[in-house]
Amino acid sequence: MSVPDRSSRQGVGPSLVNIDAVQNHSKLFRADCMRLMQQADKACKLMQGDDNRRLDQRVSDIQYLKKELELQLEEIIVETDVLIALQSRVVKALEACKEPLTVTTLCLEERLRDDVERELLKEKEVIEGAASLLQSVLEQITEQIRLNRSAKYHLEKDLKEKSKAQCIDNSCALRTTNTINNLQITNTELPSLTVTPKQWEKISDLNIAKAVQQKTNSVSLRAQVESVLEQTATDMQKQVRDTAAALQLNIQKIKSAKSQMEDKLTKILSEFASQQRIPEDLQVAITNSEQALSLAQARLALRRQRPGKEQCHDPAQSQLLAEVQQLTTHINKLREAASQSEEEQRALVRCQLELQESIEIKANSLYIDEVICTQHREPIIIHNF
């Protein structure tokens, strides 16, 4: 559009043609400006509408992932709490092994080698095995709790960041041209992190997958630990019962053997008392036989004084000779019996001492089993862990 020459208008009136041209050009320009303003306004509204829809969609996506994260967070927290409670049970089960093991060791120190000792050794082995197994699962639980808490930390961090992002996007969606005047925008530059939507979603999916995996591992571990607690308690209860039964059986055997020995001792003492009278009786018998022998010998000596032809080996002489022989034999046997009686008394004394020693040993064994070991074992009660 050309502008009329100012010099040509000097001294001459304005050109109507030029005036009309300027006027028409101005009108056209105004019309173009109006269209341009309308287009700009329409474009702004369309773009702001798209912005709002995309922000709303973004907030919706964030909310969806937040719900997934919150669900997994709640489940991993519950699972961790259950695992911590189980950890406490395992710790108590470990503590419960200490007293029975101490008692078993004390009983082993007191006793001699027999069936009960074999059961006590087996009991010691069972308790030590149970304690070792419980210590192992306790370590596994501690590690699983650590892994659960790690998964919980990443879930909480992800939730915190998404909550902040949701708050920012909500704020963005609520902003209008009328509200930006009061908005204070800082120019602080933050590190630029280019994350694609797929990468953004994958980060949360990985956190969720990690939490799900740890929860699954935790549930599996709890099932294993429950089985271990049940089995160890059952094994210990059975072995304690077996040991107690063996101990009671041994007590009955000791009592029976001790009672039989005491009966034998009573009989031995009675026999010894009777045997002590035998030497006196034998001595009386020896004395009587010696007197009878002396009499027979005196008669023979007197008969040897008969006159020559009267020295007849008559029945009286034969009887006296036989009597001397028999009496001599009896006296010898009586003296042998007296000597044997002393040996029998010594044998009875040896039996008496052996029985008394055995009874004392049995009494001591009975005291150990019935008093010491029973009192030691009385507090042992293996509850279900």
Side-chain angles (χ1 to χ4, degrees):
M1 181 175 63
S2 61
V3 179
D5 189 1
R6 297 173 71 91
S7 63
S8 66
R9 291 184 297 172
Q10 291 181 357
V12 189
S15 173
L16 294 177
V17 174
N18 289 337
I19 291 172
D20 288 341
V22 171
Q23 184 180 3
N24 288 333
H25 187 274
S26 177
K27 287 181 180 179
L28 290 173
F29 179 72
R30 282 191 300 104
D32 287 340
C33 287
M34 290 299 294
R35 281 195 306 273
L36 184 61
M37 287 186 292
Q38 288 173 354
Q39 288 174 354
D41 182 61
K42 183 178 180 181
C44 284
K45 289 180 179 178
L46 285 173
M47 286 187 289
Q48 286 176 3
D50 286 342
D51 288 344
N52 288 335
R53 281 192 299 275
R54 291 181 186 278
L55 285 169
D56 288 341
Q57 181 60 46
R58 181 62 174 175
V59 169
S60 178
D61 291 343
I62 291 174
Q63 287 176 334
Y64 173 77
L65 276 179
K66 275 183 64 181
K67 286 182 180 177
E68 291 294 314
L69 289 166
E70 286 169 351
L71 176 63
Q72 293 304 323
L73 179 60
E74 181 181 353
E75 289 182 356
I76 199 70
I77 287 173
V78 171
E79 180 59 32
T80 302
D81 289 342
V82 173
L83 202 58
I84 289 172
L86 185 61
Q87 182 188 40
S88 177
R89 286 174 58 196
V90 174
V91 170
K92 290 179 180 177
L94 262 174
E95 287 295 320
C97 292
K98 290 182 178 178
E99 185 178 8
L101 186 58
T102 301
V103 168
T104 303
T105 304
L106 285 173
C107 290
L108 280 169
E109 291 173 353
E110 294 285 351
R111 303 193 76 268
L112 302 173
R113 185 173 297 277
D114 57 9
D115 291 339
V116 177
E117 188 191 40
R118 282 190 285 274
E119 291 297 334
L120 283 168
L121 287 169
K122 187 176 178 182
E123 184 175 275
K124 185 171 183 276
E125 181 181 351
V126 168
I127 296 172
E128 288 177 338
S132 176
L133 187 57
L134 289 170
Q135 182 63 44
S136 175
V137 297
L138 181 60
E139 291 170 2
Q140 293 179 52
I141 290 172
T142 302
E143 175 61 16
Q144 188 60 54
I145 289 173
R146 186 191 69 78
L147 293 172
N148 286 4
R149 285 172 173 166
S150 174
K152 173 177 172 285
Y153 167 79
H154 288 291
L155 288 172
E156 288 175 336
K157 182 181 178 184
D158 202 352
L159 269 172
K160 183 178 179 181
E161 291 174 350
K162 280 181 171 47
S163 295
K164 188 174 181 180
Q166 181 183 359
C167 183
I168 290 172
D169 284 348
N170 277 328
S171 179
C172 287
L174 294 173
R175 295 294 176 187
T176 65
T177 55
N178 296 325
T179 61
I180 60 174
N181 293 329
N182 298 325
L183 181 64
Q184 295 180 352
I185 301 176
T186 60
N187 293 323
T188 305
E189 291 187 2
L190 298 174
S192 177
L193 296 175
T194 303
V195 179
T196 65
K198 285 186 178 180
Q199 290 174 328
W200 173 81
E201 188 173 352
K202 188 177 180 181
I203 291 171
S204 294
D205 287 344
L206 286 173
N207 287 333
I208 291 171
K210 180 181 177 182
V212 170
Q213 183 61 51
Q214 295 308 327
K215 185 184 70 176
T216 302
N217 293 345
S218 184
V219 171
S220 176
L221 178 61
R222 282 198 293 111
Q224 177 189 346
V225 172
E226 289 287 357
S227 176
V228 167
L229 286 172
E230 181 181 357
Q231 190 60 48
T232 51
T234 300
D235 290 346
M236 288 174 64
Q237 288 166 352
K238 179 181 181 302
Q239 188 54 48
V240 167
R241 287 196 301 270
D242 289 348
T243 303
L247 189 61
Q248 288 303 314
L249 180 61
N250 196 60
I251 289 171
Q252 295 304 317
K253 285 182 177 179
I254 292 173
K255 284 183 175 179
S256 176
K258 180 172 175 288
S259 177
Q260 290 178 5
M261 289 179 183
E262 288 170 342
D263 289 343
K264 287 286 184 183
L265 180 60
T266 301
K267 291 177 180 178
I268 288 292
L269 291 173
S270 175
E271 180 60 27
F272 180 75
S274 299
Q275 188 64 242
Q276 280 183 315
R277 292 192 296 270
I278 292 297
E280 297 175 3
D281 294 340
L282 286 171
Q283 189 59 47
V284 171
I286 290 171
T287 300
N288 291 336
S289 295
E290 287 177 340
Q291 289 176 350
L293 178 61
S294 296
L295 176 61
Q297 288 174 337
R299 286 175 176 175
L300 283 172
L302 185 61
R303 294 197 81 206
R304 281 197 292 270
Q305 296 178 13
R306 289 178 295 168
K309 61 180 174 48
E310 294 299 324
Q311 293 282 340
C312 179
H313 193 78
D314 54 14
Q317 186 71 12
S318 298
Q319 177 62 35
L320 287 171
L321 289 171
E323 184 180 356
V324 168
Q325 184 178 5
Q326 288 180 5
L327 287 172
T328 301
T329 301
H330 287 317
I331 290 169
N332 290 334
K333 287 182 178 180
L334 287 170
R335 285 174 178 168
E336 287 178 4
S339 177
Q340 184 65 31
S341 175
E342 293 178 359
E343 184 60 34
E344 290 295 329
Q345 289 185 50
R346 287 192 290 270
L348 288 171
V349 169
R350 286 195 297 271
C351 286
Q352 174 190 346
L353 293 175
E354 288 174 1
L355 281 171
Q356 287 175 337
E357 183 180 2
S358 296
I359 290 169
E360 186 177 350
I361 291 172
K362 292 296 181 185
N364 185 57
S365 298
L366 188 61
Y367 178 77
I368 290 172
D369 282 359
E370 192 172 32
V371 179
I372 296 178
C373 289
T374 301
Q375 286 181 353
H376 280 328
R377 297 181 62 79
E378 191 172 13
I380 298 181
I381 301 175
I382 308 296
H383 298 288
N384 292 330
F385 298 141

